[in-house]
Amino acid sequence: FPSHDTLVSVTIIGLLAGLGIPALQSALKEGKKAKEIGALKSLIVAYNSYTVDNNGQLMKSYDLNGTAYDINGNQIGGEESHESHRWPWRLAPYFNYGFYNTTHVNDMESYIKSQGGLSQTYLVSVIPSFGMSLYCGGNDYEGSRTKASIATYAAQVNKPSQFIAFVSSRSFAVGKRYEGFYYVEQPKGSSKYDSKSSPKTTGYVSARYNNNAVVAFLGGNVSVIKYEELVKTNYWTWYRDWETDRKSTRLNSSHRL
């Protein structure tokens, strides 16, 4: 080819590549999101199966009395270990120990595999892709939470389809960011999501899909929800319906003549 034809060809290829890369990145992100949605659908089924087997009691995200076992029946970490107290290993029998299809997907699946796989019981317990809500079941490690804000039994929740059980999560430790953490809570402060902010300021919630997070509700439904919506109390408070109704009743009564 003449030199100018070669230059034109290279320029066209560069332009096409430039157009294709963003589209490819977008497709890859959509694929990751779809994988999370599928994983959360399996996870919430497992969680509700545990609830049924335990007379309606909701599993805590961290249970000081919790014990856990691996797929071979060996106790995980011992009674005093964090591994046995956090929810992933305690819930594992209900999803048949299929961590890579249920609790650890995308980035966290790759990271756990790179560190030695499921034999790394501590890592498996602390950085699942999804955090369990502190208000769903409770958390013995976070003792400052008031009991009134926590639903301990499924029967307490008026609208399970609007009460968060799990959310895409993130954390930071030893100079490294992880797209996973074992619990979440209602984000504090600004309704604008900043991925570079401290995970604690967002309640460990990760809105990693264009300011959206993948959410599983206690009722079994899974949705993709904007971060600014997650800042509101609506999805975190189990008693909000009767509280709202009670306030509405008082307001209506005060206007009666």
Side-chain angles (χ1 to χ4, degrees), residues 88-89 99-100 103-104 112 117-128:
W89 284 106
F99 288 96
Y100 296 141
T103 58
H104 297 71
I112 293 295
L118 299 180
S119 63
Q120 300 299 313
T121 56
Y122 182 89
L123 284 178
V124 171
S125 74
V126 75
I127 50 171

Side-chain angles (χ1 to χ4, degrees), residues 119-183:
S119 63
Q120 300 299 313
T121 56
Y122 182 89
L123 284 178
V124 171
S125 74
V126 75
I127 50 171
S129 299
F130 313 106
M132 184 187 293
S133 170
L134 284 183
Y135 316 105
C136 186
N139 183 307
D140 290 341
Y141 195 73
E142 293 290 337
S144 62
R145 301 296 183 273
T146 61
K147 291 182 179 180
S149 66
I150 296 169
T152 54
Y153 283 86
Q156 291 176 269
V157 183
N158 288 345
K159 286 196 174 182
S161 64
Q162 297 178 20
F163 183 60
I164 289 175
F166 295 94
V167 188
S168 304
S169 58
R170 68 186 182 116
S171 56
F172 181 86
V174 198
K176 183 176 175 62
R177 293 183 181 275
Y178 301 92
E179 284 301 311
F181 194 54
Y182 79 98
Y183 78 80

Side-chain angles (χ1 to χ4, degrees), residues 16-81:
L16 291 173
L19 291 172
I21 289 174
L24 177 61
Q25 290 174 335
S26 178
L28 289 173
K29 182 165 283 190
E30 285 299 310
K32 285 186 173 183
K33 183 170 68 175
K35 192 170 184 179
E36 283 201 17
I37 291 171
L40 270 182
K41 287 180 179 179
S42 297
L43 183 57
I44 194 61
V45 168
Y47 185 79
N48 285 331
S49 295
Y50 168 91
T51 303
V52 170
D53 281 356
N54 287 271
N55 300 315
Q57 187 169 9
L58 301 171
M59 177 180 281
K60 298 178 180 180
S61 52
Y62 191 98
D63 189 345
L64 285 173
N65 296 316
T67 55
Y69 301 86
D70 65 20
I71 195 169
N72 297 313
N74 302 309
Q75 188 167 353
I76 297 291
E79 294 182 359
E80 301 301 319
S81 74

Side-chain angles (χ1 to χ4, degrees), residues 5-24:
D5 289 343
T6 302
L7 181 60
V8 170
S9 298
V10 170
T11 301
I12 291 173
I13 291 171
L15 288 171
L16 291 173
L19 291 172
I21 289 174
L24 177 61

Side-chain angles (χ1 to χ4, degrees), residues 176-196:
K176 183 176 175 62
R177 293 183 181 275
Y178 301 92
E179 284 301 311
F181 194 54
Y182 79 98
Y183 78 80
V184 290
E185 60 182 315
Q186 182 186 352
K188 305 293 192 298
S190 174
S191 61
K192 185 177 181 181
Y193 181 70
D194 181 4
S195 61
K196 295 181 180 179

